[in-house]
Amino acid sequence: MADRTGQEPAEPGHTGAVAADPYDRIAWRDLYARSAALRELAAELAARHAHTTDLLADAFLAAYLAAPRVREAAEMAPSRLFNRQVVAELAASPGFAALRRETAGDPYAAALAVLAEAPALRLLLDRTEPAREAAARAAEARRSAGRPARAAGETAQQAGATAGALRAGATSADGTAGPASAPAAPAEQAASRAETAARQAVEAVAPGIRAAARTATAQAVRVTREEAALMRAWGVGHGELERMPYEERARLAERLRTGRLARWAELIGRFRQMADGERARKVEHATGELIGVTLGDDLSRVLPSELAHLGLPELRAVFAARYAAGELMLYDSRGERTTGQGAVIACVDTSHSMYEEGPGGVTREAWSKACALALLDQARHARRDFVGILFSAADKLQVFRFPAARPAPVERVLEFAETFLGGGTSYQRPLSAAAGLLAEEFDTAARGRGDIVLITDDECGVTEQWTRDWLKAKRRLDFRLFGLAVGAPTATASGSVLEALCDNLRPIEDLTDVRAAADLFRLI
């Protein structure tokens, strides 16, 4: 019998298997309202199985809460015993601790885990229909047991002021309840039997639930780790992700998974990690390559034989005199100059030939873009402006500016990485554009000694007049040009245009080897 509101009496016990406060459940409801994927999954499962939205909420809370607690079976509403068993097995899975390292406190990651678990949960629900039907029968029996007592209470309330109500509620001579409550005992017994049968049915399918839970957890760990690695590879930090609205983060993840360079995320990540390691090894004012002996007063380069004079009291005065005259014998070296102060500019060739694959199936474009993104990190670490110039033929050029004083928007970084112009190759226009940007920086901010990195797989000619202008700008602005010939060893041959233009030039042949350009990140 329905109550005055037309509702069936609720079954006793909790409907949520994971104990959570109202604020945590608000996090679930808010995320559910924002995620079309979660709503679609819930609608699909609810069309075939009962109480599945509660199951998804429990799976979310188990992954999201800092210290999730799964309720005991005795605390649960009979209809949710199956849900409770599933969540308990999820929490007991060997990979659950690893999953929570990715999802605890992060509602987006917890929702991603639920979606990743969906295939295993869907299959489990289809295979355990009898157990869930037994739980449904137990819930109905429990509601039925509550109806007579509920009806008796309503009758007594309506007639409480009359003597007839007192007689109806009187106790019989043998001490048992009167006629109004007599039907409750058989109904209670039936409910207890149904609940016992439901528990036994759930226990019977427990091995299958355990196996499905382990599969679901392993899949969720894989998916959440892959997305976290994908974000790290593209330089998106955890703090930035936490501040990002759900919809924006979901769009970003989808773009990273499906973009032109998505399959090279691992390469991009390795490049950035390598560059970070090289920065840690960087030694300012390094002496460079030893080429001989010279005279001077630089004590950091004194030969050991000269220092030995200090150990003999009679020769210390000689050492002091030679030091004052600048005539100590020193190691003579030839090395790279200390790092610059101006902008770091990456000129990346995006001609058609950059589509070509090298070892391991890595394209020249992928290697070049990965290197350029690492250079972006390098510039930001040194608080220098970064400019990405994509070029191909003389009429195709696109400039992406990332000032050091402002954050680098992820969308803009992705646009730079994914843009491909196609066509032929021309050095003059991108290098002129780079020199012009350095001149602008020098004239407005008095910053010189910028660094230009030209990444190309082709060699092309330059005019004599352009070369004269280039050398004039180079003398005035004091910048360096680094050349990376990707998959084009002839471009670095003696007498090539690149050799004439570049201060530092190297061939890149193995595109799987990110360390081929490692020293670049110690010099820039």
Side-chain angles (χ1 to χ4, degrees), residues 211-225:
R214 292 186 177 190
T215 300
T217 302
Q219 178 69 0
V221 169
R222 184 185 67 81
V223 170
T224 53
R225 280 181 173 173

Side-chain angles (χ1 to χ4, degrees), residues 260 348-356 365 369 389-398 400 415-427 429-430 456-458:
R260 290 188 63 252
V348 182
D349 188 347
T350 60
S351 60
H352 282 307
S353 57
M354 294 292 282
Y355 276 128
E356 187 172 330
E365 179 203 9
K369 295 290 181 62
I389 298 178
L390 304 180
F391 70 94
S392 57
D395 60 338
K396 293 186 177 181
L397 187 85
Q398 195 161 344
F400 295 82
E415 185 182 357
F416 165 62
E418 294 179 343
T419 298
F420 194 88
L421 303 178
T425 304
S426 171
Y427 294 164
R429 190 176 177 203
T456 183
D457 71 338
D458 200 0

Side-chain angles (χ1 to χ4, degrees), residues 78-103:
S79 62
R80 306 308 199 277
L81 286 172
F82 178 84
N83 287 4
R84 186 261 170 200
Q85 186 70 24
V86 172
V87 176
E89 294 295 352
L90 285 173
S93 297
F96 190 69
L99 175 64
R100 286 183 35 74
R101 282 194 288 272
E102 303 291 343
T103 61

Side-chain angles (χ1 to χ4, degrees), residues 52 94 188 241 347 352 398 464:
T52 49
E188 178 65 32
L241 288 175
C347 297
H352 282 307
Q398 195 161 344
E464 185 176 345

Side-chain angles (χ1 to χ4, degrees), residues 97-176:
L99 175 64
R100 286 183 35 74
R101 282 194 288 272
E102 303 291 343
T103 61
D106 186 342
Y108 175 90
L112 183 65
V114 172
L115 294 172
E117 292 165 350
L121 295 179
R122 188 182 293 114
L123 185 61
L124 175 65
L125 290 167
D126 290 339
R127 290 178 175 177
T128 55
E129 189 69 30
R132 287 180 294 102
E133 287 178 350
R137 288 193 293 271
E140 178 56 34
R142 176 54 61 194
R143 282 192 291 268
S144 298
R147 290 184 188 117
R150 191 177 178 87
E154 290 176 356
T155 301
Q157 186 177 10
Q158 293 168 1
T162 66
L166 293 174
R167 288 194 299 272
T171 303
S172 63
D174 60 3
T176 61

Side-chain angles (χ1 to χ4, degrees), residues 81-396:
L81 286 172
F82 178 84
N83 287 4
R84 186 261 170 200
Q85 186 70 24
V86 172
V87 176
E89 294 295 352
L90 285 173
S93 297
F96 190 69
L99 175 64
R100 286 183 35 74
R101 282 194 288 272
E102 303 291 343
T103 61
D106 186 342
Y108 175 90
L112 183 65
V114 172
L115 294 172
E117 292 165 350
L121 295 179
R122 188 182 293 114
L123 185 61
L124 175 65
L125 290 167
D126 290 339
R127 290 178 175 177
T128 55
E129 189 69 30
R132 287 180 294 102
E133 287 178 350
R137 288 193 293 271
E140 178 56 34
R142 176 54 61 194
R143 282 192 291 268
S144 298
R147 290 184 188 117
R150 191 177 178 87
E154 290 176 356
T155 301
Q157 186 177 10
Q158 293 168 1
T162 66
L166 293 174
R167 288 194 299 272
T171 303
S172 63
D174 60 3
T176 61
S181 59
E188 178 65 32
Q189 293 171 3
S192 297
R193 287 194 299 270
E195 288 173 1
T196 300
R199 290 191 180 92
Q200 291 173 346
V202 171
E203 289 172 2
V205 297
I209 295 176
R210 186 173 302 114
R214 292 186 177 190
T215 300
T217 302
Q219 178 69 0
V221 169
R222 184 185 67 81
V223 170
T224 53
R225 280 181 173 173
E226 285 180 355
E227 179 152 317
L230 186 66
M231 294 295 182
R232 286 194 298 270
W234 284 95
V236 186
H238 185 71
E240 185 177 0
L241 288 175
E242 287 187 336
R243 295 189 297 271
M244 198 175 292
Y246 176 86
E247 297 88 345
E248 182 181 344
R249 185 168 171 181
R251 286 194 302 270
L252 174 61
E254 180 64 19
R255 183 172 179 181
L256 293 181
R257 283 193 293 266
T258 60
R260 290 188 63 252
L261 296 179
R263 59 186 289 223
W264 307 122
E266 189 268 341
L267 173 70
I268 293 168
R270 285 195 294 120
F271 232 116
R272 283 180 137 148
Q273 289 176 359
M274 177 275 293
D276 187 59
E278 292 304 312
R279 276 195 295 274
R281 294 175 55 198
K282 182 184 291 189
V283 178
E284 301 294 342
H285 312 294
T287 55
E289 178 188 3
L290 177 65
I291 60 171
V293 177
T294 186
L295 299 179
D297 59 359
D298 186 350
L299 296 178
S300 67
R301 295 190 289 139
V302 175
L303 268 62
S305 59
E306 291 277 31
L307 291 174
H309 293 165
L310 293 175
L312 300 172
E314 61 272 20
L315 294 179
R316 289 174 184 169
V318 176
F319 181 93
R322 295 180 62 183
Y323 171 69
E327 294 179 350
L328 292 173
M329 287 192 294
L330 312 176
Y331 286 118
D332 192 11
S333 62
R334 178 179 59 204
E336 293 290 345
R337 187 180 52 183
T338 55
T339 55
Q341 302 299 318
V344 176
I345 302 179
C347 297
V348 182
D349 188 347
T350 60
S351 60
H352 282 307
S353 57
M354 294 292 282
Y355 276 128
E356 187 172 330
E357 294 184 356
V362 180
T363 64
R364 296 173 179 180
E365 179 203 9
W367 193 96
S368 301
K369 295 290 181 62
C371 183
L373 291 174
L375 287 169
L376 169 59
D377 290 346
Q378 187 86 351
R380 299 198 72 77
H381 185 269
R383 296 182 176 83
R384 299 168 67 182
D385 291 352
F386 176 82
V387 182
I389 298 178
L390 304 180
F391 70 94
S392 57
D395 60 338
K396 293 186 177 181

